[in-house]
Amino acid sequence: ATAPRVIELPAVERTKHRYVQVIDRESRTVVTAIELLSPANKAGDDREAYLLKRKEYIAERVSLVEIDL
């Protein structure tokens, strides 16, 4: 039997995204955004940034689904 090989992979920087974007294949534009609302989005430090992002979705006529956790 052959011994398993060990492969070392480079470090990966992880970022947390709490949204999913549905993109139209032809136009390559976002058509729907699904946002997972956290306590910070609703009343914490990130609220103003989220409200701005929400206004941008609406201005771009993107369908927005908000899931309150």
Side-chain angles (χ1 to χ4, degrees), residues 47-64:
R47 180 171 172 73
E48 289 302 317
Y50 177 71
L51 291 176
L52 177 61
K53 186 176 181 182
R54 185 178 183 208
K55 285 181 185 179
E56 290 172 357
Y57 283 139
I58 293 168
E60 294 172 11
R61 302 182 54 91
V62 172
S63 297
L64 177 62

Side-chain angles (χ1 to χ4, degrees), residues 32-43:
T32 302
I34 303 169
E35 290 277 346
L36 303 178
L37 301 180
S38 68
N41 294 113
K42 294 183 281 189

Side-chain angles (χ1 to χ4, degrees), residues 2-60:
T2 305
R5 295 190 325 172
V6 176
I7 300 172
E8 190 170 326
L9 299 175
V12 175
E13 183 178 329
R14 293 182 183 213
T15 57
K16 291 184 180 182
H17 297 286
R18 290 188 166 87
Y19 63 89
V20 174
Q21 292 182 334
V22 179
I23 299 174
D24 182 276
R25 292 178 95 178
E26 291 181 17
S27 66
R28 312 287 275 172
T29 59
V30 178
V31 293
T32 302
I34 303 169
E35 290 277 346
L36 303 178
L37 301 180
S38 68
N41 294 113
K42 294 183 281 189
D45 298 335
D46 297 331
R47 180 171 172 73
E48 289 302 317
Y50 177 71
L51 291 176
L52 177 61
K53 186 176 181 182
R54 185 178 183 208
K55 285 181 185 179
E56 290 172 357
Y57 283 139
I58 293 168
E60 294 172 11

